[in-house]
Amino acid sequence: MTEPILKLEQATIRFGGLVAVNEVSFSVAKGRLFGLIGPNGAGKTTCFNLITGVYAPTSGQILFQGRSLGGTKPHRIAHAGIARTFQNIRLFGALSAVENVMLGAFLRHRSSLAGALAFMPSNIKESAELRERSLHLLEVLGLADFANHRSRDLPYGKQRRLEIARAMATQPTMLLLDEPAAGMNPQESVDLQDTVRRIRDEFDMTVLLIEHDMKFVMNLCEEIVVLDHGEVIAHGGPSDIRSNPKVIEAYLGEAV
Ligand SMILES: Nc1ncnc2c1ncn2[C@@H]1O[C@H](COP(=O)(O)OP(=O)(O)OP(=O)(O)O)[C@@H](O)[C@H]1O
Ligand SMILES: [Mg+2]
């Protein structure tokens, strides 16, 4: 088996009396399409916040490419190669799609927007190259025709795709997607599965994603961890997860 690119070892975080993530351990192999699922409040987004350095674990540790991320600041983790999207879209609404992607690349180097703006190159050639790369990412995400549209004017599904393009602008090796298909209609969700697969294949990416759309997860993910009340209750391939009685009881119900 290949070395895991990401490893959680009994990662735990408490918020006051609440243990939001409780001794969670799992490894993600390089190149995997990996799903993190579970009911509302299970601790999924908090896991992303731990991995990306928004919070430091109360105990346990997280290793990326064999190195502990303990106490590492979010922009350093981004620099190390982990990029994410957010459950609630965070775009610069007044900027165009391509400008949002370009800014994503600068945010890799700076922890704040002000810092990113200050870092904008005065060198026209450099920024032209960046624009080209950003346009290519928009094309990969199926947004080539919308490059100059103001991002707030894009339909919701396209905004979610734009978030992925922006995350990829940092040239990550690992992409964390928090509910990428939320609010999409069934066709958009199927199309997004193809896009995420293409991103994995063409960019040699490892993808860890949170999603409540079970068709999306079961069709796309090769390996799945299920959280409930901050704890791992199951880990396996889609068919194991679908038929796991604990998962059915805690989350899926009888319908899936
Ligand atoms: N900064 C925080 N302070 C206090 N409690 C928090 C904080 N962040 C998360 N929590 C709590 O931790 C628990 C897990 O939240 P989290 O957002 O990780 O759930 P989730 O699995 O992503 O759920 P959903 O599917 O609804 O997005 C919830 O009870 C939440 O209220
Ligand atoms: Mg969440």
Side-chain angles (χ1 to χ4, degrees), residues 29-65:
K30 193 172 180 312
R32 266 277 196 278
L33 293 169
F34 199 108
L36 188 59
I37 67 171
N40 294 120
K44 305 178 299 295
T45 297
T46 305
C47 280
F48 275 21
N49 287 335
L50 288 171
I51 297 165
T52 56
V54 175
Y55 305 128
T58 313
S59 62
Q61 64 170 348
I62 297 167
L63 299 141
F64 180 63
Q65 293 172 328

Side-chain angles (χ1 to χ4, degrees), residues 12-215:
T12 300
I13 187 165
R14 289 168 197 277
F15 297 113
L18 176 82
V19 188
V21 173
N22 194 4
E23 303 204 340
V24 166
S25 299
F26 63 87
S27 296
V28 180
K30 193 172 180 312
R32 266 277 196 278
L33 293 169
F34 199 108
L36 188 59
I37 67 171
N40 294 120
K44 305 178 299 295
T45 297
T46 305
C47 280
F48 275 21
N49 287 335
L50 288 171
I51 297 165
T52 56
V54 175
Y55 305 128
T58 313
S59 62
Q61 64 170 348
I62 297 167
L63 299 141
F64 180 63
Q65 293 172 328
R67 266 189 245 146
S68 173
L69 294 179
T72 312
K73 293 265 183 292
H75 71 281
R76 294 229 164 263
I77 292 176
H79 201 253
I82 302 180
R84 76 179 290 183
T85 63
F86 293 90
Q87 189 165 350
N88 303 310
I89 289 175
R90 293 191 189 179
L91 294 166
F92 301 108
L95 299 183
S96 70
V98 71
E99 285 164 345
N100 267 279
V101 180
M102 290 170 75
L103 262 182
F106 291 118
L107 284 170
R108 181 181 189 192
H109 302 281
R110 290 293 182 271
S111 53
S112 69
L113 176 62
L117 289 170
F119 193 68
M120 278 280 200
S122 46
N123 183 323
I124 305 258
K125 182 163 169 284
E126 197 180 323
S127 103
E129 279 170 12
L130 178 65
R131 198 179 176 85
E132 276 309 301
R133 257 198 291 130
S134 301
L135 287 170
H136 175 64
L137 287 175
L138 287 178
E139 194 185 311
V140 172
L141 269 300
L143 297 171
D145 293 343
F146 301 90
N148 296 316
H149 287 227
R150 235 181 6 180
S151 68
R152 75 159 66 101
D153 297 336
L154 294 176
Y156 189 76
K158 290 191 167 50
Q159 291 191 20
R160 294 218 83 103
R161 283 175 165 267
L162 178 54
E163 278 238 315
I164 299 175
R166 189 181 60 172
M168 288 181 60
T170 65
Q171 298 180 283
T173 47
M174 179 153 198
L175 197 53
L176 271 47
L177 307 175
D178 197 344
E179 301 195 20
M184 289 192 173
N185 67 40
Q187 187 57 52
E188 286 174 324
S189 168
V190 168
D191 292 344
L192 186 64
Q193 288 167 35
D194 292 339
T195 303
V196 174
R197 222 177 267 117
R198 180 177 167 200
I199 288 169
R200 190 271 300 270
D201 295 343
E202 285 185 20
F203 293 80
D204 212 7
M205 196 81 75
T206 307
V207 180
L208 175 61
L209 65 91
I210 296 170
E211 190 45 72
H212 286 290
D213 176 338
M214 280 307 107
K215 273 198 181 141

Side-chain angles (χ1 to χ4, degrees), residues 229-242:
H229 296 294
E231 295 182 11
V232 174
I233 60 163
H235 183 172
S239 52
D240 307 321
I241 297 300
R242 216 187 262 123

